């Protein structure tokens, strides 16, 4: 590949590290270096992707943060367990289990605690002389990095976090997260409609069309069902990242087929239905939907926290009522709701296991405040003031528990800062640790 050299590594690790006879799973890591530096002794940097349930990026060229990192690091792109080439969990592979209970027992091993243990195994295999490495964690990858600081800090030289400081409290912090998230999502909706006021009417028309259709929805190309509340899921991608407002607006520009024959009913275009599905990844990456609320659980159940918080808000996010009352329809954000396992075809067979996981109470700890309070690893974190996914106030509270952390608080970027301007973001964080940038 021009400007990059790649080495692929396939390793076997235990599914459950607490068992001596645990079955193994495959872990995939791709090592990336600049040409001519393949055999040079340089420090290693581990990249942890956002999620949960998403594989590491597949580089096509040297650009952004990856190009910058390759100037001084061997970069390791880790497919977190259950994603990419690391024993990927899909709707079809999970169907091999005989019961939802067996699925749940398997899935409980796919959280940050075990991702850290996998990373330590990869480090011991790839990094010469068992040297520590730097971790760069984006979003959920930052959550994993904080777990790393909690339980295996000896493996880290530095920790760099971008939009990825998790709530630390024991119990289930999901309600806290979603209450803050809904507030930010509301603000993002208002900004979207302020920028594109014509979208108010278009979205209302689509909602009413879906509400008045047979069974209150239309069938998508995959066999899933698009309902008014399902339409609101577009906010997950459309409201919280750079360029999202524009993409969301352009999507609704193509909502309707033209009426070519007089008297024919207005209908949603195939283009719109297909693009709606392309916007969401719940079918291709079901681990995200299955495990999302569990990332906030330490010794307590989530019990579908996002749905409960939504109900607390009354009819504020009722799409049909808003459309009928002539009010802007509010999109939702990074939330998973139980009804998605009825409406998304690929998730329907996983409905029972999703409920088991939502009711599970004995989740192990993911973070150790005592260890974080005594942290010795240099940590730099980018905290985005308008982050729709990882709340600013919660991030500040977590940062206060990590000794020595250096914060870069900025409204210059949204949650996608590392993707949008990765070279500058990485350079700024490294500069903070090296004394080249002012502390905030």
């Amino acid at each position: 590949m021009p400007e990059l050299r790649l080495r692929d590594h396939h390793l076997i690790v235990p599914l459950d590290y607490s068992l001596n006879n645990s079955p193994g799973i495959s872990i995939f890591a791709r090592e990336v270096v600049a040409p001519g530096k393949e055999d040079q002794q340089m420090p290693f940097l581990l990249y942890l992707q956002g999620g949960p349930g998403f594989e590491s990026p597949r580089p096509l060229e040297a650009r952004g943060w990856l190009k910058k990192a390759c100037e001084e690091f061997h970069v390791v792109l880790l497919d977190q367990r259950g994603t990419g080439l690391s024993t990927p969990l899909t709707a079809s592979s999970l169907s091999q289990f005989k019961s939802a209970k067996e699925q749940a027992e398997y899935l409980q091993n796919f959280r940050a605690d075990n991702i850290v243990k996998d990373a330590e195994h990869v480090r011991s295999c790839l990094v010469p002389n068992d040297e520590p490495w730097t971790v760069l964690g984006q979003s959920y990858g930052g959550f994993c990095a904080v777990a790393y600081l909690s339980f295996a800090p000896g493996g880290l030289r530095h920790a760099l976090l971008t939009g990825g400081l998790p709530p630390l409290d024991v119990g289930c912090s999901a309600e806290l997260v979603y209450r803050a998230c809904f507030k930010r999502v509301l603000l993002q909706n208002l900004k979207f409609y302020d920028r594109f006021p014509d979208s108010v009417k278009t979205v209302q028309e689509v909602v009413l069309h879906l509400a008045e259709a047979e069974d209150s929805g239309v069938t998508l190309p995959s066999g899933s069902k698009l309902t008014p509340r399902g339409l609101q899921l577009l906010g997950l991608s459309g409201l919280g990242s750079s360029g999202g407002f524009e993409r969301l607006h352009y999507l609704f520009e193509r909502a309707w087929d033209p009426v070519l024959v007089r008297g024919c009913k207005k209908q949603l275009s195939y283009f719109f239905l297909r693009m709606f599905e392309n916007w969401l990844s719940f079918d291709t990456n079901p681990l995200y939907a299955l495990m999302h609320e569990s990332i906030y659980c330490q010794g307590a159940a989530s019990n579908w926290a996002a749905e409960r918080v939504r109900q607390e808000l009354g009819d504020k996010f009722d799409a049909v009522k808003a459309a009928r009352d002539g009010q802007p329809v509010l999109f939702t954000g990074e939330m998973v709701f139980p009804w998605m396992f009825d409406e998304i075809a690929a998730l329907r067979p996983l409905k029972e296991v999703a409920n088991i996981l939502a009711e599970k109470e004995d989740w192990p700890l993911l973070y150790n405040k005592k260890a974080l309070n005594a942290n010795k690893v240099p940590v730099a974190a980018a905290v985005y003031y308008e982050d729709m996914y990882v709340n600013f106030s919660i991030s500040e509270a977590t940062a206060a528990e990590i000794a020595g952390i250096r914060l870069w608080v900025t409204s210059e970027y949204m949650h996608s800062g590392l993707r949008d301007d990765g070279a500058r973001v990485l350079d700024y964080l490294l500069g903070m640790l090296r004394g080249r940038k002012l502390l905030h």
Side-chain angles (χ1 to χ4, degrees), residues 270-297:
Y270 179 85
F271 175 89
F272 178 80
L273 299 177
R274 175 65 182 274
M275 291 304 296
F276 171 85
E277 294 202 294
N278 288 350
W279 269 54
L280 305 176
S281 302
F282 299 116
D283 56 344
T284 56
N285 296 74
L287 202 59
Y288 177 87
L290 287 166
M291 302 299 291
H292 189 265
E293 291 201 349
S294 80
I295 69 175
Y296 301 114
C297 296

PDB file of all heavy atoms in Angstrom, residues 270-297:
ATOM      1  N   TYR A 270     -37.320   4.281  -3.141  1.00  0.00           N
ATOM      2  CA  TYR A 270     -36.406   3.182  -2.808  1.00  0.00           C
ATOM      3  C   TYR A 270     -35.061   3.744  -2.367  1.00  0.00           C
ATOM      4  O   TYR A 270     -34.427   3.210  -1.451  1.00  0.00           O
ATOM      5  CB  TYR A 270     -36.224   2.257  -4.010  1.00  0.00           C
ATOM      6  CG  TYR A 270     -35.275   1.111  -3.737  1.00  0.00           C
ATOM      7  CD1 TYR A 270     -35.725  -0.058  -3.141  1.00  0.00           C
ATOM      8  CD2 TYR A 270     -33.924   1.207  -4.045  1.00  0.00           C
ATOM      9  CE1 TYR A 270     -34.862  -1.109  -2.861  1.00  0.00           C
ATOM     10  CE2 TYR A 270     -33.039   0.172  -3.767  1.00  0.00           C
ATOM     11  CZ  TYR A 270     -33.522  -0.984  -3.182  1.00  0.00           C
ATOM     12  OH  TYR A 270     -32.654  -2.019  -2.905  1.00  0.00           O
ATOM     13  N   PHE A 271     -34.625   4.824  -3.017  1.00  0.00           N
ATOM     14  CA  PHE A 271     -33.364   5.457  -2.646  1.00  0.00           C
ATOM     15  C   PHE A 271     -33.371   5.816  -1.165  1.00  0.00           C
ATOM     16  O   PHE A 271     -32.427   5.511  -0.430  1.00  0.00           O
ATOM     17  CB  PHE A 271     -33.138   6.723  -3.481  1.00  0.00           C
ATOM     18  CG  PHE A 271     -31.926   7.505  -3.081  1.00  0.00           C
ATOM     19  CD1 PHE A 271     -30.689   7.234  -3.636  1.00  0.00           C
ATOM     20  CD2 PHE A 271     -32.017   8.524  -2.131  1.00  0.00           C
ATOM     21  CE1 PHE A 271     -29.567   7.956  -3.252  1.00  0.00           C
ATOM     22  CE2 PHE A 271     -30.900   9.249  -1.734  1.00  0.00           C
ATOM     23  CZ  PHE A 271     -29.671   8.964  -2.309  1.00  0.00           C
ATOM     24  N   PHE A 272     -34.439   6.447  -0.704  1.00  0.00           N
ATOM     25  CA  PHE A 272     -34.513   6.864   0.692  1.00  0.00           C
ATOM     26  C   PHE A 272     -34.514   5.664   1.628  1.00  0.00           C
ATOM     27  O   PHE A 272     -33.804   5.651   2.642  1.00  0.00           O
ATOM     28  CB  PHE A 272     -35.774   7.702   0.911  1.00  0.00           C
ATOM     29  CG  PHE A 272     -35.967   8.150   2.332  1.00  0.00           C
ATOM     30  CD1 PHE A 272     -35.279   9.234   2.824  1.00  0.00           C
ATOM     31  CD2 PHE A 272     -36.846   7.479   3.181  1.00  0.00           C
ATOM     32  CE1 PHE A 272     -35.452   9.661   4.147  1.00  0.00           C
ATOM     33  CE2 PHE A 272     -37.021   7.883   4.487  1.00  0.00           C
ATOM     34  CZ  PHE A 272     -36.328   8.976   4.967  1.00  0.00           C
ATOM     35  N   LEU A 273     -35.302   4.651   1.294  1.00  0.00           N
ATOM     36  CA  LEU A 273     -35.383   3.468   2.161  1.00  0.00           C
ATOM     37  C   LEU A 273     -34.040   2.749   2.241  1.00  0.00           C
ATOM     38  O   LEU A 273     -33.627   2.294   3.312  1.00  0.00           O
ATOM     39  CB  LEU A 273     -36.469   2.526   1.643  1.00  0.00           C
ATOM     40  CG  LEU A 273     -37.892   3.103   1.615  1.00  0.00           C
ATOM     41  CD1 LEU A 273     -38.866   2.094   1.009  1.00  0.00           C
ATOM     42  CD2 LEU A 273     -38.348   3.526   3.015  1.00  0.00           C
ATOM     43  N   ARG A 274     -33.377   2.652   1.104  1.00  0.00           N
ATOM     44  CA  ARG A 274     -32.080   1.988   1.084  1.00  0.00           C
ATOM     45  C   ARG A 274     -31.040   2.801   1.854  1.00  0.00           C
ATOM     46  O   ARG A 274     -30.250   2.258   2.644  1.00  0.00           O
ATOM     47  CB  ARG A 274     -31.625   1.778  -0.360  1.00  0.00           C
ATOM     48  CG  ARG A 274     -30.227   1.192  -0.516  1.00  0.00           C
ATOM     49  CD  ARG A 274     -30.132  -0.223   0.039  1.00  0.00           C
ATOM     50  NE  ARG A 274     -28.790  -0.749  -0.084  1.00  0.00           N
ATOM     51  CZ  ARG A 274     -28.328  -1.372  -1.177  1.00  0.00           C
ATOM     52  NH1 ARG A 274     -29.126  -1.546  -2.222  1.00  0.00           N
ATOM     53  NH2 ARG A 274     -27.093  -1.814  -1.222  1.00  0.00           N
ATOM     54  N   MET A 275     -31.035   4.111   1.643  1.00  0.00           N
ATOM     55  CA  MET A 275     -30.069   4.957   2.342  1.00  0.00           C
ATOM     56  C   MET A 275     -30.334   4.992   3.839  1.00  0.00           C
ATOM     57  O   MET A 275     -29.393   5.065   4.641  1.00  0.00           O
ATOM     58  CB  MET A 275     -30.094   6.362   1.757  1.00  0.00           C
ATOM     59  CG  MET A 275     -29.555   6.461   0.338  1.00  0.00           C
ATOM     60  SD  MET A 275     -27.868   5.809   0.172  1.00  0.00           S
ATOM     61  CE  MET A 275     -26.969   6.955   1.218  1.00  0.00           C
ATOM     62  N   PHE A 276     -31.596   4.925   4.235  1.00  0.00           N
ATOM     63  CA  PHE A 276     -31.904   4.844   5.664  1.00  0.00           C
ATOM     64  C   PHE A 276     -31.176   3.653   6.285  1.00  0.00           C
ATOM     65  O   PHE A 276     -30.551   3.767   7.344  1.00  0.00           O
ATOM     66  CB  PHE A 276     -33.411   4.719   5.880  1.00  0.00           C
ATOM     67  CG  PHE A 276     -33.785   4.419   7.308  1.00  0.00           C
ATOM     68  CD1 PHE A 276     -33.922   5.429   8.240  1.00  0.00           C
ATOM     69  CD2 PHE A 276     -33.989   3.095   7.736  1.00  0.00           C
ATOM     70  CE1 PHE A 276     -34.240   5.158   9.557  1.00  0.00           C
ATOM     71  CE2 PHE A 276     -34.306   2.818   9.051  1.00  0.00           C
ATOM     72  CZ  PHE A 276     -34.435   3.851   9.966  1.00  0.00           C
ATOM     73  N   GLU A 277     -31.247   2.515   5.636  1.00  0.00           N
ATOM     74  CA  GLU A 277     -30.590   1.327   6.181  1.00  0.00           C
ATOM     75  C   GLU A 277     -29.074   1.466   6.155  1.00  0.00           C
ATOM     76  O   GLU A 277     -28.379   0.979   7.056  1.00  0.00           O
ATOM     77  CB  GLU A 277     -31.030   0.088   5.403  1.00  0.00           C
ATOM     78  CG  GLU A 277     -32.508  -0.217   5.587  1.00  0.00           C
ATOM     79  CD  GLU A 277     -32.844  -1.658   5.289  1.00  0.00           C
ATOM     80  OE1 GLU A 277     -32.720  -2.071   4.123  1.00  0.00           O
ATOM     81  OE2 GLU A 277     -33.237  -2.373   6.233  1.00  0.00           O
ATOM     82  N   ASN A 278     -28.562   2.134   5.124  1.00  0.00           N
ATOM     83  CA  ASN A 278     -27.113   2.319   5.047  1.00  0.00           C
ATOM     84  C   ASN A 278     -26.594   3.206   6.176  1.00  0.00           C
ATOM     85  O   ASN A 278     -25.425   3.104   6.563  1.00  0.00           O
ATOM     86  CB  ASN A 278     -26.728   2.935   3.696  1.00  0.00           C
ATOM     87  CG  ASN A 278     -26.875   1.965   2.542  1.00  0.00           C
ATOM     88  OD1 ASN A 278     -27.082   0.769   2.739  1.00  0.00           O
ATOM     89  ND2 ASN A 278     -26.782   2.467   1.322  1.00  0.00           N
ATOM     90  N   TRP A 279     -27.449   4.084   6.669  1.00  0.00           N
ATOM     91  CA  TRP A 279     -27.037   4.979   7.747  1.00  0.00           C
ATOM     92  C   TRP A 279     -26.834   4.250   9.065  1.00  0.00           C
ATOM     93  O   TRP A 279     -26.093   4.715   9.923  1.00  0.00           O
ATOM     94  CB  TRP A 279     -28.113   6.062   7.941  1.00  0.00           C
ATOM     95  CG  TRP A 279     -27.874   7.285   7.112  1.00  0.00           C
ATOM     96  CD1 TRP A 279     -27.679   7.350   5.764  1.00  0.00           C
ATOM     97  CD2 TRP A 279     -27.810   8.629   7.586  1.00  0.00           C
ATOM     98  NE1 TRP A 279     -27.528   8.649   5.366  1.00  0.00           N
ATOM     99  CE2 TRP A 279     -27.599   9.461   6.464  1.00  0.00           C
ATOM    100  CE3 TRP A 279     -27.939   9.220   8.832  1.00  0.00           C
ATOM    101  CZ2 TRP A 279     -27.496  10.862   6.563  1.00  0.00           C
ATOM    102  CZ3 TRP A 279     -27.850  10.609   8.936  1.00  0.00           C
ATOM    103  CH2 TRP A 279     -27.617  11.404   7.813  1.00  0.00           C
ATOM    104  N   LEU A 280     -27.510   3.150   9.259  1.00  0.00           N
ATOM    105  CA  LEU A 280     -27.483   2.437  10.537  1.00  0.00           C
ATOM    106  C   LEU A 280     -26.722   1.133  10.395  1.00  0.00           C
ATOM    107  O   LEU A 280     -26.723   0.507   9.343  1.00  0.00           O
ATOM    108  CB  LEU A 280     -28.909   2.164  11.013  1.00  0.00           C
ATOM    109  CG  LEU A 280     -29.823   3.395  11.121  1.00  0.00           C
ATOM    110  CD1 LEU A 280     -31.223   2.975  11.515  1.00  0.00           C
ATOM    111  CD2 LEU A 280     -29.267   4.414  12.116  1.00  0.00           C
ATOM    112  N   SER A 281     -26.081   0.702  11.478  1.00  0.00           N
ATOM    113  CA  SER A 281     -25.244  -0.505  11.432  1.00  0.00           C
ATOM    114  C   SER A 281     -25.693  -1.555  12.432  1.00  0.00           C
ATOM    115  O   SER A 281     -24.926  -2.451  12.789  1.00  0.00           O
ATOM    116  CB  SER A 281     -23.777  -0.125  11.713  1.00  0.00           C
ATOM    117  OG  SER A 281     -23.301   0.821  10.800  1.00  0.00           O
ATOM    118  N   PHE A 282     -26.928  -1.456  12.885  1.00  0.00           N
ATOM    119  CA  PHE A 282     -27.401  -2.409  13.890  1.00  0.00           C
ATOM    120  C   PHE A 282     -27.451  -3.828  13.344  1.00  0.00           C
ATOM    121  O   PHE A 282     -27.281  -4.787  14.097  1.00  0.00           O
ATOM    122  CB  PHE A 282     -28.793  -2.002  14.381  1.00  0.00           C
ATOM    123  CG  PHE A 282     -28.843  -0.664  15.035  1.00  0.00           C
ATOM    124  CD1 PHE A 282     -29.580   0.375  14.491  1.00  0.00           C
ATOM    125  CD2 PHE A 282     -28.153  -0.423  16.214  1.00  0.00           C
ATOM    126  CE1 PHE A 282     -29.638   1.619  15.095  1.00  0.00           C
ATOM    127  CE2 PHE A 282     -28.191   0.820  16.833  1.00  0.00           C
ATOM    128  CZ  PHE A 282     -28.940   1.844  16.265  1.00  0.00           C
ATOM    129  N   ASP A 283     -27.690  -3.963  12.037  1.00  0.00           N
ATOM    130  CA  ASP A 283     -27.793  -5.311  11.471  1.00  0.00           C
ATOM    131  C   ASP A 283     -26.427  -5.930  11.231  1.00  0.00           C
ATOM    132  O   ASP A 283     -26.222  -7.119  11.485  1.00  0.00           O
ATOM    133  CB  ASP A 283     -28.603  -5.286  10.172  1.00  0.00           C
ATOM    134  CG  ASP A 283     -28.048  -4.329   9.135  1.00  0.00           C
ATOM    135  OD1 ASP A 283     -27.227  -3.458   9.486  1.00  0.00           O
ATOM    136  OD2 ASP A 283     -28.431  -4.455   7.951  1.00  0.00           O
ATOM    137  N   THR A 284     -25.457  -5.146  10.764  1.00  0.00           N
ATOM    138  CA  THR A 284     -24.123  -5.684  10.481  1.00  0.00           C
ATOM    139  C   THR A 284     -23.260  -5.776  11.731  1.00  0.00           C
ATOM    140  O   THR A 284     -22.339  -6.584  11.785  1.00  0.00           O
ATOM    141  CB  THR A 284     -23.406  -4.821   9.434  1.00  0.00           C
ATOM    142  OG1 THR A 284     -23.350  -3.463   9.906  1.00  0.00           O
ATOM    143  CG2 THR A 284     -24.131  -4.869   8.098  1.00  0.00           C
ATOM    144  N   ASN A 285     -23.540  -4.949  12.729  1.00  0.00           N
ATOM    145  CA  ASN A 285     -22.766  -4.941  13.972  1.00  0.00           C
ATOM    146  C   ASN A 285     -23.703  -5.052  15.169  1.00  0.00           C
ATOM    147  O   ASN A 285     -23.850  -4.103  15.959  1.00  0.00           O
ATOM    148  CB  ASN A 285     -21.931  -3.659  14.065  1.00  0.00           C
ATOM    149  CG  ASN A 285     -20.893  -3.550  12.973  1.00  0.00           C
ATOM    150  OD1 ASN A 285     -21.221  -3.284  11.820  1.00  0.00           O
ATOM    151  ND2 ASN A 285     -19.642  -3.752  13.317  1.00  0.00           N
ATOM    152  N   PRO A 286     -24.356  -6.197  15.333  1.00  0.00           N
ATOM    153  CA  PRO A 286     -25.367  -6.323  16.395  1.00  0.00           C
ATOM    154  C   PRO A 286     -24.799  -6.218  17.800  1.00  0.00           C
ATOM    155  O   PRO A 286     -25.544  -5.962  18.750  1.00  0.00           O
ATOM    156  CB  PRO A 286     -25.973  -7.707  16.138  1.00  0.00           C
ATOM    157  CG  PRO A 286     -24.893  -8.459  15.425  1.00  0.00           C
ATOM    158  CD  PRO A 286     -24.203  -7.442  14.561  1.00  0.00           C
ATOM    159  N   LEU A 287     -23.491  -6.415  17.946  1.00  0.00           N
ATOM    160  CA  LEU A 287     -22.882  -6.296  19.269  1.00  0.00           C
ATOM    161  C   LEU A 287     -23.120  -4.901  19.850  1.00  0.00           C
ATOM    162  O   LEU A 287     -23.258  -4.739  21.065  1.00  0.00           O
ATOM    163  CB  LEU A 287     -21.377  -6.578  19.167  1.00  0.00           C
ATOM    164  CG  LEU A 287     -20.640  -7.002  20.438  1.00  0.00           C
ATOM    165  CD1 LEU A 287     -21.236  -8.270  21.017  1.00  0.00           C
ATOM    166  CD2 LEU A 287     -19.158  -7.191  20.145  1.00  0.00           C
ATOM    167  N   TYR A 288     -23.188  -3.900  18.985  1.00  0.00           N
ATOM    168  CA  TYR A 288     -23.457  -2.534  19.444  1.00  0.00           C
ATOM    169  C   TYR A 288     -24.818  -2.461  20.134  1.00  0.00           C
ATOM    170  O   TYR A 288     -24.935  -1.921  21.243  1.00  0.00           O
ATOM    171  CB  TYR A 288     -23.401  -1.579  18.249  1.00  0.00           C
ATOM    172  CG  TYR A 288     -23.737  -0.149  18.593  1.00  0.00           C
ATOM    173  CD1 TYR A 288     -22.750   0.723  19.039  1.00  0.00           C
ATOM    174  CD2 TYR A 288     -25.034   0.341  18.478  1.00  0.00           C
ATOM    175  CE1 TYR A 288     -23.047   2.037  19.358  1.00  0.00           C
ATOM    176  CE2 TYR A 288     -25.342   1.647  18.800  1.00  0.00           C
ATOM    177  CZ  TYR A 288     -24.350   2.497  19.235  1.00  0.00           C
ATOM    178  OH  TYR A 288     -24.654   3.790  19.560  1.00  0.00           O
ATOM    179  N   ALA A 289     -25.843  -2.991  19.487  1.00  0.00           N
ATOM    180  CA  ALA A 289     -27.183  -2.944  20.075  1.00  0.00           C
ATOM    181  C   ALA A 289     -27.282  -3.828  21.315  1.00  0.00           C
ATOM    182  O   ALA A 289     -27.914  -3.458  22.313  1.00  0.00           O
ATOM    183  CB  ALA A 289     -28.219  -3.373  19.039  1.00  0.00           C
ATOM    184  N   LEU A 290     -26.650  -4.981  21.277  1.00  0.00           N
ATOM    185  CA  LEU A 290     -26.764  -5.933  22.390  1.00  0.00           C
ATOM    186  C   LEU A 290     -26.017  -5.470  23.636  1.00  0.00           C
ATOM    187  O   LEU A 290     -26.481  -5.673  24.759  1.00  0.00           O
ATOM    188  CB  LEU A 290     -26.215  -7.298  21.948  1.00  0.00           C
ATOM    189  CG  LEU A 290     -27.084  -8.083  20.975  1.00  0.00           C
ATOM    190  CD1 LEU A 290     -26.284  -9.225  20.361  1.00  0.00           C
ATOM    191  CD2 LEU A 290     -28.320  -8.628  21.675  1.00  0.00           C
ATOM    192  N   MET A 291     -24.851  -4.842  23.458  1.00  0.00           N
ATOM    193  CA  MET A 291     -23.982  -4.556  24.594  1.00  0.00           C
ATOM    194  C   MET A 291     -23.922  -3.082  24.970  1.00  0.00           C
ATOM    195  O   MET A 291     -23.246  -2.724  25.933  1.00  0.00           O
ATOM    196  CB  MET A 291     -22.565  -5.054  24.274  1.00  0.00           C
ATOM    197  CG  MET A 291     -22.479  -6.539  23.959  1.00  0.00           C
ATOM    198  SD  MET A 291     -23.026  -7.583  25.337  1.00  0.00           S
ATOM    199  CE  MET A 291     -21.717  -7.298  26.526  1.00  0.00           C
ATOM    200  N   HIS A 292     -24.632  -2.243  24.237  1.00  0.00           N
ATOM    201  CA  HIS A 292     -24.430  -0.813  24.435  1.00  0.00           C
ATOM    202  C   HIS A 292     -24.719  -0.359  25.862  1.00  0.00           C
ATOM    203  O   HIS A 292     -23.902   0.341  26.480  1.00  0.00           O
ATOM    204  CB  HIS A 292     -25.281  -0.005  23.450  1.00  0.00           C
ATOM    205  CG  HIS A 292     -24.955   1.452  23.474  1.00  0.00           C
ATOM    206  ND1 HIS A 292     -25.652   2.348  24.239  1.00  0.00           N
ATOM    207  CD2 HIS A 292     -23.976   2.157  22.872  1.00  0.00           C
ATOM    208  CE1 HIS A 292     -25.126   3.551  24.086  1.00  0.00           C
ATOM    209  NE2 HIS A 292     -24.114   3.463  23.266  1.00  0.00           N
ATOM    210  N   GLU A 293     -25.845  -0.721  26.413  1.00  0.00           N
ATOM    211  CA  GLU A 293     -26.152  -0.250  27.772  1.00  0.00           C
ATOM    212  C   GLU A 293     -25.267  -0.921  28.814  1.00  0.00           C
ATOM    213  O   GLU A 293     -24.997  -0.329  29.870  1.00  0.00           O
ATOM    214  CB  GLU A 293     -27.632  -0.454  28.082  1.00  0.00           C
ATOM    215  CG  GLU A 293     -28.539   0.465  27.281  1.00  0.00           C
ATOM    216  CD  GLU A 293     -29.913   0.664  27.903  1.00  0.00           C
ATOM    217  OE1 GLU A 293     -30.254  -0.062  28.859  1.00  0.00           O
ATOM    218  OE2 GLU A 293     -30.649   1.554  27.425  1.00  0.00           O
ATOM    219  N   SER A 294     -24.776  -2.109  28.524  1.00  0.00           N
ATOM    220  CA  SER A 294     -23.940  -2.812  29.506  1.00  0.00           C
ATOM    221  C   SER A 294     -22.611  -2.116  29.749  1.00  0.00           C
ATOM    222  O   SER A 294     -21.960  -2.359  30.771  1.00  0.00           O
ATOM    223  CB  SER A 294     -23.692  -4.253  29.056  1.00  0.00           C
ATOM    224  OG  SER A 294     -22.669  -4.332  28.071  1.00  0.00           O
ATOM    225  N   ILE A 295     -22.166  -1.248  28.826  1.00  0.00           N
ATOM    226  CA  ILE A 295     -20.883  -0.564  29.033  1.00  0.00           C
ATOM    227  C   ILE A 295     -20.971   0.419  30.196  1.00  0.00           C
ATOM    228  O   ILE A 295     -19.938   0.913  30.659  1.00  0.00           O
ATOM    229  CB  ILE A 295     -20.395   0.155  27.759  1.00  0.00           C
ATOM    230  CG1 ILE A 295     -21.269   1.363  27.413  1.00  0.00           C
ATOM    231  CG2 ILE A 295     -20.331  -0.823  26.597  1.00  0.00           C
ATOM    232  CD1 ILE A 295     -20.766   2.169  26.232  1.00  0.00           C
ATOM    233  N   TYR A 296     -22.181   0.685  30.676  1.00  0.00           N
ATOM    234  CA  TYR A 296     -22.378   1.573  31.818  1.00  0.00           C
ATOM    235  C   TYR A 296     -22.714   0.813  33.096  1.00  0.00           C
ATOM    236  O   TYR A 296     -23.079   1.426  34.105  1.00  0.00           O
ATOM    237  CB  TYR A 296     -23.505   2.567  31.515  1.00  0.00           C
ATOM    238  CG  TYR A 296     -23.252   3.424  30.296  1.00  0.00           C
ATOM    239  CD1 TYR A 296     -24.047   3.310  29.155  1.00  0.00           C
ATOM    240  CD2 TYR A 296     -22.207   4.343  30.270  1.00  0.00           C
ATOM    241  CE1 TYR A 296     -23.818   4.093  28.035  1.00  0.00           C
ATOM    242  CE2 TYR A 296     -21.963   5.127  29.158  1.00  0.00           C
ATOM    243  CZ  TYR A 296     -22.778   4.994  28.033  1.00  0.00           C
ATOM    244  OH  TYR A 296     -22.539   5.767  26.925  1.00  0.00           O
ATOM    245  N   CYS A 297     -22.609  -0.513  33.060  1.00  0.00           N
ATOM    246  CA  CYS A 297     -23.056  -1.339  34.186  1.00  0.00           C
ATOM    247  C   CYS A 297     -21.883  -1.935  34.945  1.00  0.00           C
ATOM    248  O   CYS A 297     -21.021  -2.605  34.360  1.00  0.00           O
ATOM    249  CB  CYS A 297     -23.967  -2.455  33.684  1.00  0.00           C
ATOM    250  SG  CYS A 297     -25.502  -1.869  32.942  1.00  0.00           S
TER     251      CYS A 297
END
